[in-house]
C-alpha cells in the first residue's frame, strides 16, 4: 500500500489555472488545434504484432459486474441493419455470466493507424461492456479506449491516453512511458473510466509523486512540459484516492431497471453493490458515510502473455470485424438532476448514449483524444504530423460542504470543509453531467459565451450560478475564489430573492456568513435562489445595473425558506442593514447580561457594566442608522449623510467598548461581535459613498 497522496491545494490549482497561459492549463481540451495529418490503417500481421506488444493488463474493482466482452453475441437485425440490442446484451451477458461463473467471452478490440509520412503510429484498445452504471450517468453498452502512441522507427512508446468519462473531463495521460513496461489500466467500477498505473504498485492509482516513485499521469497545470510536479489535473480514480462515490440505481419507465420484464435474468444483485448505491440524489438528508473504498478484483491479461497471476485471459480481435454494426440501441434511462430555480427545483434528464467507435473522430485520428495541451505540444515538437494545441476553454471550481463553525456561537456561523463524497456538475448548455475528482469540477470544451453551472451531490442541496466563458481567460473560475459550498439537505434553508416590483435592475447577488465569509457571488437576472446552511448568520448583498448596492440581514434559524421581496439598492437599504445588524447584536448582548447576572462582587458587576456599555453603543448605532434610512427614503441626502457620519463615529466607540468588554465575553461571542463590527464599518463606508438614495 502506498502512502496516502496529499490533497489538492485549492490556491495552487486555481492560481495555475487562472494565471497560466492558455497552452499550459492541465486537463483543458484544445478546442480546435491545428489539423493533424491523415492516418492510414495498419492491418494484418504488423498490426497484430503491435497490438500484442502493448496489450494492457486490466485491473477491475472487486464489485465490478460488466467486463470487456464481444458485442457480436448480442446482434439483431432491425430494419435491414445489424444492431446490438441493449436488452439482449444486458440480459444475455448477465445470464451467461451466472451460468459459467466467469466473464463471458473476454475480448479487447484493437485498431492500429499510422500518420502518413511519419513514424508515429497509434494502437487503440477498445473495450465493450454490456452496461454502464455510475453516479452521473448510466446507459446500455459502454465503450472505453486506451491509445498507445508509438514511434515505429525507434520502437518506443510516446504517450498513453486512457479515456475518462467524456470529452468534458480531462483524460488520464502519461508522456514518455518506459518502453519495457506493459501498459496497465485501472477500470473504474461501473463506469469503466480508465486510469493509468505505471508505478511499482500495479493495481493502485497514484496522482502525486511519492518517495522515489512518480505520478501515474503527467497532466500538469504549469507551462513547462518538463516540470510536472505541481498538480496533475485529470480524472484519475477517485475511489482509489480515498474519495467516496455513491452510485445511483437506473430506472426505466419509473421502475428500477432490474424489475423490467425484458430483463428476466437481471436481479438487484447484478447491479453495483447496495453498499455503494442510493436510489436518488435527494434520497438522503446528508452525504452518505462509510462507502467502501476501491479494492482490486479480477485481473485481465492478454492470452499470449501467459501470466500465472492473471484471473482472466482475453482475446485480441481487430475492431474492423465490428464495423458492420450500425448501432447500439436501448431506450432512454432516467436520471434526476436538481437544477435550482426561483420557485421550485426543476428535474432535468441528462443521459448520454453510446455511439459507434468507428464513426468517432478519434478512431481515425487518435490525437483528437489528447486532452492535455502540453502533451500535444510535445508530440507536435517531435512529429510534423501532429498540429499545435489551440487555446482552451474550461470551467473549474472546488466543491466543498458548508458546516457549522465550532468557533461561532450556536446558529451564528459556518465554515467550509472538504465534502465526504464526490459531487456532480452540469454545464447546462451541454447535456452531460460529470463527476468531480478530489473535490474539483473541471469541465472542458465549453463554448465561448454565457452558461449556467449546476453542482449537485448525494444528500446535498444543488447550487447553480451563471458563468461567462471568453477567449481571453485561460480558465473560468466559478464560485467565490473558485470555491462552491454545498449544504446537507437536513441543514439547508432556501434563500430566495424576488426583485419583482422593485425599480432596481438587479445584476448580481452575494451571500456572506459572519464567520465563513463570502460563500456565493454570481450574476442574477430578476429572481434567484441559493441554499444556505441554517446554522449561519448572513449578509445578502445585491447589485444593480448602476453598480448601486443593497444589503439585507438574514438569520434563517429553523426556517426552510427565507424570501427577500423587492430588494432595494442605495443608501436607504444599506442604512437599514446597519440598523438591523447593530440592533441584532445589541439584543444578543442584552440576553447575555441576564446570564452573567449582577453579582455582589466587583467582577460580576464589572462584566455586566462592560457588556451593557457595548450593547448601549450598538443600540445607538442602530437608532442613528435607522434615522439615516428614513431620511434617505424621504430624499434628504444631506441629512442622511450626516446621520451616516454619526454612525461611522459611533462605530469607533463600539470598537472601544468591545475592547473594554472582551475579557467579560465568551470567546465565540467576542469574535461574532468583532466580525459584525467589520461588516458594519464596511457597509457604513459604502452607504456614505452611495449616490443612489
Amino acid at each position: 500500500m502506498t502512502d496516502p497522496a496529499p490533497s489538492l491545494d485549492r490556491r495552487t490549482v486555481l492560481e495555475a489555472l487562472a494565471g497560466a497561459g492558455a497552452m499550459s492549463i492541465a486537463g483543458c481540451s484544445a478546442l480546435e488545434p491545428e489539423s493533424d495529418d491523415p492516418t492510414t490503417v495498419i492491418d494484418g500481421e504488423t498490426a497484430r504484432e503491435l497490438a500484442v506488444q502493448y496489450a494492457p493488463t486490466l485491473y477491475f474493482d472487486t464489485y465490478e459486474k460488466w467486463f470487456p466482452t464481444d458485442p457480436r453475441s448480442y446482434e439483431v437485425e432491425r430494419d435491414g441493419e445489424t444492431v446490438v440490442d441493449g436488452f439482449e446484451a444486458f440480459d444475455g451477458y448477465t445470464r451467461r455470466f451466472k451460468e459459467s461463473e466467469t466473464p463471458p467471452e473476454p475480448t479487447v478490440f484493437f485498431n492500429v493507424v499510422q500518420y502518413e509520412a511519419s513514424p508515429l503510429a497509434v494502437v487503440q484498445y477498445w473495450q465493450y461492456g454490456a452496461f454502464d452504471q455510475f453516479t452521473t450517468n448510466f446507459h446500455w453498452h459502454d465503450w472505453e479506449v486506451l491509445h498507445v502512441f508509438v514511434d515505429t522507427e525507434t520502437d518506443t512508446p510516446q504517450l498513453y491516453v486512457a479515456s475518462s468519462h467524456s470529452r468534458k473531463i480531462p483524460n488520464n495521460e502519461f508522456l514518455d512511458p518506459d518502453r519495457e513496461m506493459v501498459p496497465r489500466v485501472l477500470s473504474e467500477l461501473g463506469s469503466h473510466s480508465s486510469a493509468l498505473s505505471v508505478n511499482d504498485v500495479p493495481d493502485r492509482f497514484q496522482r502525486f509523486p511519492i518517495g522515489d516513485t512518480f505520478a501515474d499521469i503527467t497532466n500538469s497545470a504549469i507551462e513547462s512540459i518538463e516540470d510536472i510536479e505541481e498538480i496533475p489535473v485529470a480524472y484519475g480514480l477517485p475511489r482509489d484516492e480515498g474519495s467516496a462515490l455513491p452510485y445511483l440505481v437506473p430506472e426505466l419507465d419509473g421502475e428500477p431497471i432490474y424489475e423490467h420484464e425484458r430483463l428476466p435474468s437481471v436481479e438487484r444483485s447484478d447491479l453495483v453493490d447496495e453498499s455503494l448505491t442510493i436510489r436518488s440524489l435527494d434520497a438522503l438528508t446528508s452525504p452518505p458515510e462509510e462507502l467502501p473504498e476501491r479494492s482490486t478484483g479480477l485481473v485481465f491479461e492478454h492470452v499470449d502473455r501467459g501470466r500465472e497471476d492473471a484471473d482472466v485471459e482475453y482475446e485480441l480481435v481487430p475492431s474492423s470485424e465490428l464495423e458492420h454494426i450500425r448501432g447500439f440501441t436501448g431506450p432512454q434511462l432516467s436520471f434526476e438532476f436538481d437544477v435550482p430555480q426561483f420557485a421550485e427545483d426543476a428535474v432535468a434528464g441528462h443521459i448520454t448514449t453510446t455511439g459507434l467507435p468507428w464513426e468517432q473522430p478519434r478512431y481515425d485520428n487518435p490525437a483528437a483524444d489528447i486532452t492535455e495541451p502540453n502533451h500535444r505540444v510535445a508530440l507536435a515538437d517531435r512529429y510534423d504530423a501532429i498540429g499545435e494545441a489551440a487555446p482552451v476553454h474550461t470551467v473549474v471550481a472546488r466543491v466543498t460542504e458548508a458546516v457549522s463553525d465550532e468557533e461561532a456561537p450556536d446558529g451564528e456561523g459556518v465554515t467550509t470543509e472538504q465534502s465526504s463524497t464526490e459531487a456532480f456538475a452540469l454545464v447546462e448548455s451541454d447535456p452531460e453531467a460529470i463527476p468531480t475528482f478530489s473535490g474539483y469540477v473541471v469541465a472542458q470544451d465549453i463554448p465561448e459565451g454565457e452558461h449556467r453551472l449546476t453542482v449537485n451531490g448525494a444528500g446535498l442541496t444543488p447550487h447553480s450560478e451563471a458563468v461567462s466563458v471568453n477567449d481571453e481567460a485561460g480558465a473560468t473560475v466559478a464560485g467565490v475564489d473558485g470555491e462552491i459550498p454545498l449544504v446537507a439537505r437536513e441543514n439547508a434553508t432556501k434563500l430566495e430573492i424576488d426583485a419583482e416590483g422593485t425599480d432596481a435592475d438587479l445584476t448580481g447577488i452575494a451571500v456572506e456568513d459572519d464567520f465563513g465569509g463570502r460563500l456565493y457571488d454570481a450574476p442574477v437576472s430578476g429572481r434567484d435562489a441559493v441554499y444556505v446552511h441554517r446554522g449561519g448568520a448572513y449578509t445578502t448583498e445585491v447589485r444593480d445595473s448602476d453598480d448601486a448596492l443593497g444589503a439585507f440581514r438574514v438569520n434563517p434559524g429553523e426556517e426552510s425558506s427565507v424570501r427577500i421581496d423587492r430588494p432595494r439598492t442605495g443608501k436607504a437599504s444599506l442604512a437599514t442593514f446597519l440598523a438591523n445588524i447593530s440592533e441584532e447584536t445589541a439584543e444578543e448582548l442584552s440576553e447575555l447580561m441576564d446570564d452573567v447576572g449582577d453579582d455582589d462582587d466587583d467582577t460580576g458587576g464589572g462584566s455586566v457594566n462592560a457588556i451593557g456599555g457595548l450593547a448601549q453603543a450598538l443600540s445607538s448605532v442602530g437608532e442613528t442608522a435607522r434615522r439615516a434610512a428614513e431620511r434617505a427614503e424621504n430624499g434628504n441626502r444631506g441629512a442622511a449623510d450626516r446621520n451616516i457620519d454619526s454612525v461611522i463615529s459611533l462605530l469607533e466607540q463600539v470598537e472601544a467598548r468591545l475592547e473594554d468588554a472582551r475579557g467579560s465575553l465568551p470567546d465565540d461571542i467576542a469574535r461574532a461581535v468583532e466580525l459584525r463590527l467589520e461588516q458594519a464599518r464596511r457597509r457604513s463606508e459604502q452607504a456614505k459613498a452611495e449616490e443612489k438614495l
Side-chain angles (χ1 to χ4, degrees):
M1 180 73 69
T2 57
D3 295 331
S7 62
L8 292 183
D9 179 82
R10 178 168 67 93
R11 184 178 298 278
T12 302
V13 172
L14 296 174
E15 287 180 352
L17 285 170
M23 303 292 284
S24 66
I25 297 172
C28 306
S29 171
L31 295 180
E32 292 186 6
E34 290 184 4
S35 60
D36 305 311
D37 286 355
T39 61
T40 301
V41 175
I42 300 176
D43 51 22
E45 192 59 32
T46 300
R48 177 165 289 277
E49 288 177 358
L50 278 171
V52 170
Q53 180 178 355
Y54 294 101
T57 305
L58 309 174
Y59 293 84
F60 291 92
D61 194 285
T62 187
Y63 290 114
E64 184 56 63
K65 301 295 184 181
W66 304 284
F67 299 95
T69 191
D70 192 333
R72 290 175 292 182
S73 298
Y74 313 108
E75 290 179 358
V76 297
E77 293 299 317
R78 186 168 297 162
D79 298 328
E81 293 185 333
T82 300
V83 301
V84 178
D85 178 76
F87 287 109
E88 181 67 26
F90 191 6
D91 194 74
Y93 181 87
T94 302
R95 181 182 65 254
R96 295 172 68 187
F97 202 161
K98 290 178 178 178
E99 292 171 350
S100 63
E101 297 184 350
T102 187
E105 296 185 284
T107 309
V108 173
F109 296 89
F110 68 90
N111 181 49
V112 184
V113 298
Q114 183 157 2
Y115 288 90
E116 294 181 3
S118 173
L120 185 63
V122 186
V123 188
Q124 299 178 330
Y125 298 93
W126 292 89
Q127 302 175 48
Y128 168 81
F131 197 74
D132 178 299
Q133 180 187 356
F134 190 53
T135 52
T136 61
N137 202 359
F138 26 75
H139 47 76
W140 315 96
H141 321 290
D142 188 37
W143 280 106
E144 304 297 334
V145 64
L146 168 69
H147 307 279
V148 178
F149 290 75
V150 181
D151 189 309
T152 56
E153 289 183 354
T154 62
D155 191 27
T156 55
Q158 302 295 303
L159 177 67
Y160 295 159
V161 175
S163 59
S164 186
H165 282 271
S166 73
R167 290 289 297 173
K168 297 300 177 187
I169 303 178
N171 284 330
N172 301 294
E173 304 177 11
F174 194 93
L175 185 67
D176 293 330
D178 188 333
R179 63 181 298 175
E180 303 300 326
M181 179 178 291
V182 173
R184 298 191 295 253
V185 172
L186 311 180
S187 180
E188 183 170 40
L189 172 63
S191 80
H192 314 124
S193 173
S194 299
L196 292 168
S197 172
V198 298
N199 264 296
D200 296 336
V201 183
D203 67 338
R204 303 293 293 181
F205 175 76
Q206 187 169 298
R207 184 181 297 271
F208 295 88
I210 298 177
D212 295 332
T213 65
F214 39 84
D216 285 326
I217 47 177
T218 53
N219 301 60
S220 75
I222 51 179
E223 294 184 354
S224 171
I225 296 173
E226 293 80 20
D227 187 358
I228 57 173
E229 298 179 353
E230 289 293 331
I231 305 294
V233 181
Y235 182 69
L237 196 60
R239 286 181 64 239
D240 213 19
E241 301 177 77
S243 298
L245 273 171
Y247 284 66
L248 295 177
V249 176
E251 293 186 355
L252 181 59
D253 300 329
E255 298 294 333
I257 194 169
Y258 53 82
E259 295 182 358
H260 200 279
E261 61 181 7
R262 293 186 60 186
L263 297 171
S265 303
V266 178
E267 302 173 305
R268 174 63 188 86
S269 59
D270 297 313
L271 272 67
V272 170
D273 193 81
E274 289 184 86
S275 64
L276 281 156
T277 307
I278 60 176
R279 285 301 303 270
S280 65
L281 295 183
D282 61 357
L284 304 174
T285 59
S286 61
E289 298 179 354
E290 299 181 357
L291 295 173
E293 293 186 7
R294 178 187 172 272
S295 61
T296 299
L298 296 182
V299 179
F300 280 47
E301 187 67 84
H302 179 234
V303 64
D304 288 355
R305 198 156 281 137
R307 275 183 48 183
E308 294 183 358
D309 59 344
D311 299 302
V312 179
E313 293 183 324
Y314 66 82
E315 298 286 346
L316 276 173
V317 176
S319 59
S320 57
E321 296 186 13
L322 300 175
E323 293 181 10
H324 64 284
I325 297 173
R326 302 314 306 156
F328 292 86
T329 66
Q332 182 81 12
L333 301 173
S334 61
F335 170 58
E336 293 185 351
F337 196 100
D338 284 350
V339 178
Q341 294 183 342
F342 173 67
E344 59 186 353
D345 292 335
V347 177
H350 295 275
I351 291 291
T352 59
T353 56
T354 296
L356 297 168
W358 38 95
E359 291 185 356
Q360 300 174 16
R362 60 182 175 173
Y363 191 74
D364 295 321
N365 178 21
D369 217 21
I370 300 174
T371 58
E372 165 58 65
N374 285 340
H375 293 160
R376 176 174 274 276
V377 169
L379 290 189
D381 287 344
R382 301 172 191 179
Y383 305 99
D384 292 338
I386 303 299
E388 294 287 350
V392 296
H393 293 162
T394 189
V395 174
V396 61
R398 184 185 184 216
V399 180
T400 58
E401 183 178 348
V403 297
S404 293
D405 192 330
E406 295 180 354
E407 297 182 358
D410 186 33
E412 296 185 20
V414 300
T415 186
T416 60
E417 63 183 22
Q418 182 173 346
S419 178
S420 59
T421 62
E422 296 291 350
F424 329 115
L426 177 73
V427 179
E428 292 175 33
S429 58
D430 185 84
E432 189 167 357
I434 60 174
T436 62
F437 52 88
S438 297
Y440 278 88
V441 173
V442 177
Q444 60 184 26
D445 274 347
I446 306 301
E448 181 183 6
E450 301 301 316
H451 304 272
R452 194 161 188 86
L453 172 69
T454 297
V455 182
N456 211 336
L460 299 167
T461 52
H463 168 96
S464 189
E465 67 177 65
V467 293
S468 180
V469 177
N470 58 67
D471 279 333
E472 296 180 359
T476 298
V477 179
V480 177
D481 294 330
E483 183 175 5
I484 294 176
L486 302 182
V487 184
R489 290 180 179 272
E490 63 185 358
N491 299 321
T493 292
K494 192 174 188 179
L495 173 57
E496 304 178 44
I497 305 293
D498 185 357
E500 288 189 358
T502 182
D503 58 355
D505 178 19
L506 296 188
T507 59
I509 175 177
V511 178
E512 297 181 8
D513 174 73
D514 288 351
F515 280 73
R518 188 160 288 212
L519 303 173
Y520 182 82
D521 190 349
V524 66
S525 177
R527 299 185 293 178
D528 199 9
V530 60
Y531 289 99
V532 296
H533 193 291
R534 60 172 51 102
Y538 302 98
T539 297
T540 300
E541 175 189 280
V542 294
R543 303 179 296 277
D544 66 22
S545 56
D546 295 323
D547 289 330
L549 296 175
F552 306 86
R553 190 65 174 163
V554 176
N555 299 93
E558 296 302 315
E559 297 292 330
S560 61
S561 179
V562 176
R563 182 192 296 262
I564 299 176
D565 287 316
R566 297 184 296 278
R568 298 177 300 169
T569 56
K571 203 179 293 287
S573 172
L574 292 167
T576 301
F577 168 81
L578 287 167
N580 289 338
I581 195 172
S582 300
E583 292 166 355
E584 170 193 332
T585 310
E587 183 177 346
E588 290 183 10
L589 291 171
S590 296
E591 293 174 356
L592 179 63
M593 282 195 301
D594 295 337
D595 294 334
V596 172
D598 191 1
D599 298 338
D600 293 334
D601 57 42
D602 292 338
T603 303
S607 296
V608 170
N609 290 336
I611 298 172
L614 176 59
Q616 182 57 48
L618 284 163
S619 295
S620 297
V621 172
E623 293 172 1
T624 306
R626 206 162 290 285
R627 285 197 295 272
E630 292 172 357
R631 286 166 177 171
E633 289 174 349
N634 292 330
N636 192 338
R637 181 184 302 275
D641 283 343
R642 286 192 294 273
N643 285 135
I644 292 172
D645 284 334
S646 297
V647 166
I648 293 172
S649 297
L650 287 170
L651 287 173
E652 294 177 357
Q653 296 180 27
V654 171
E655 186 172 3
R657 293 287 189 179
L658 175 59
E659 290 306 310
D660 293 340
R662 192 177 291 275
S664 303
L665 293 171
D667 290 342
D668 57 349
I669 299 292
R671 180 60 177 156
V673 175
E674 182 179 36
L675 291 171
R676 293 179 193 176
L677 181 57
E678 292 176 5
Q679 180 81 239
R681 283 197 295 262
R682 178 156 57 95
R683 300 301 177 182
S684 64
E685 295 293 342
Q686 291 172 344
K688 179 64 184 297
E690 184 61 66
E691 291 294 326
K692 181 178 180 180
L693 291 175

